[in-house]
Amino acid sequence: MKSNYTGIWLLLTFALAGVMFISFYKDISVGEWTVKKAPFAENILPQGNSELNWEDRLLANEDSVEVPSFELNPVVVDSIPKSILLFGDSMTFNLAQRLSKYARQNGHDLHSINWDSSNTKIWAETDTLAYYINKYKADYIFISLGSNEVYFKNPDRRLPYVKKILATIGDIPYVWIGPPNWNEDTKINDMLEATCAPGTFFRSQGMEFKRKKDNIHPTKSSSALWMDSIMRWLPKSAHPILADLPADTLDKVPNKVLFLKALN
């Protein structure tokens, strides 16, 4: 004997099929009435490729959708003094000299680690970064790396190291200071910018620098202007902190930089 519920099940089946059809189709209009599509399609089908490589992610940022007419709420400046860790290659020392004055002016505590000839691979494959983050209880980080990798033909080979460094930093707010290019690079800056979180990469490429005799390292005065540019940009970053311009009276601020020996 046929079930008395056969008709009901058939009716429910056709109703569900109709809802699914609407969800995958455009809105349907009948006269003055419009049937809005259900959200099943958005929940079932993938919305964009989350596995884009760094080049695709960079292009996606450049080809952004139309900006809404309303203004987004600005990021609030964190007014709590920070334990700042600045680490990186040989560009770090002169940057630290100027950053130390910003730290004194704004109540921050600065710790700087200068590792000559270092690169992303060296920092990623040692426990040095984790050690100093823990030692200084760092809650804000500046990274100065990439200068020794400007000429690398394949920046993708450095991507795992960059990701490892960022994983070590974890949830600590950071700013990655891009290398001060003295010649065209092979897209190391593009890779760094695409890999870092939005609003955390400062692109130094294209800036004008006075260089030392090696024609690579910016002079002390030029590095100070470089850091000034970074701190002027900081309010637009993802994690702005107090960054008022140091007073002219701050002539003698101790620049405590720890120098690590280069790896052979």
Side-chain angles (χ1 to χ4, degrees):
M1 182 177 64
K2 293 184 178 181
S3 172
N4 295 330
Y5 298 103
T6 301
I8 296 176
W9 283 113
L10 287 174
L11 180 61
L12 291 174
T13 301
F14 282 115
L16 178 60
V19 172
M20 294 296 292
F21 171 78
I22 293 173
S23 70
F24 285 93
Y25 200 74
K26 298 179 180 179
D27 295 346
I28 301 174
S29 298
V30 180
E32 298 180 354
W33 296 89
T34 300
V35 180
K36 295 291 185 179
K37 66 178 183 178
F40 294 120
E42 287 78 358
N43 294 329
I44 296 175
L45 296 180
Q47 302 300 307
N49 187 356
S50 59
E51 299 298 329
L52 294 176
N53 60 36
W54 66 263
E55 290 179 309
D56 290 334
R57 292 199 300 273
L58 190 67
L59 290 174
N61 290 336
E62 292 176 351
D63 300 332
S64 58
V65 297
E66 184 180 354
V67 178
S69 57
F70 58 87
E71 294 184 0
L72 297 176
N73 293 327
V75 178
V76 178
V77 175
D78 187 345
S79 59
I80 300 176
K82 300 299 177 185
S83 176
I84 298 175
L85 174 63
L86 166 63
F87 76 90
D89 51 35
S90 55
M91 301 294 174
T92 303
F93 176 68
N94 280 339
L95 287 173
Q97 288 186 302
R98 183 59 173 168
L99 185 56
S100 63
K101 293 187 176 182
Y102 276 95
R104 174 66 64 84
Q105 179 69 41
N106 294 277
H108 306 305
D109 191 15
L110 175 64
H111 310 278
S112 303
I113 312 295
N114 184 106
W115 198 345
D116 284 344
S117 303
S118 66
N119 52 43
T120 57
K121 183 176 186 293
I122 291 174
W123 282 94
E125 292 186 339
T126 63
D127 62 355
T128 305
L129 177 56
Y131 173 80
Y132 286 110
I133 288 176
N134 181 66
K135 179 178 180 178
Y136 297 126
K137 301 296 186 289
D139 52 12
Y140 204 93
I141 296 177
F142 285 91
I143 309 162
S144 176
L145 284 174
S147 295
N148 293 315
E149 294 153 290
V150 165
Y151 292 128
F152 277 46
K153 294 182 179 180
N154 185 4
D156 279 342
R157 296 179 62 183
R158 316 308 280 184
L159 183 59
Y161 306 129
V162 174
K163 289 183 175 180
K164 179 66 180 300
I165 291 172
L166 295 179
T168 301
I169 291 173
D171 296 332
I172 302 173
Y174 69 90
V175 170
W176 194 304
I177 304 170
N181 287 38
W182 51 97
N183 280 314
E184 287 298 321
D185 62 31
T186 54
K187 295 188 176 181
I188 185 71
N189 278 283
D190 290 348
M191 184 274 285
L192 289 172
E193 183 174 9
T195 308
C196 290
T200 62
F201 180 78
F202 180 87
R203 183 179 284 261
S204 307
Q205 182 185 26
M207 297 179 66
E208 295 292 332
F209 295 96
K210 290 183 179 180
R211 311 273 179 174
K212 295 182 180 180
K213 292 182 179 180
D214 60 7
N215 293 320
I216 295 176
H217 294 80
T219 62
K220 178 180 177 180
S221 60
S222 192
S223 294
L225 295 174
W226 183 15
M227 180 54 71
D228 286 344
S229 297
I230 296 168
M231 299 307 274
R232 284 196 301 269
W233 165 84
L234 202 61
K236 303 176 184 177
S237 70
H239 304 286
I241 59 175
L242 294 176
D244 292 341
L245 188 69
D248 294 336
T249 55
L250 292 178
D251 290 332
K252 296 181 180 180
V253 176
N255 183 28
K256 299 178 181 179
V257 180
L258 178 62
F259 289 89
L260 302 181
K261 294 182 179 180
L263 296 176
N264 294 325

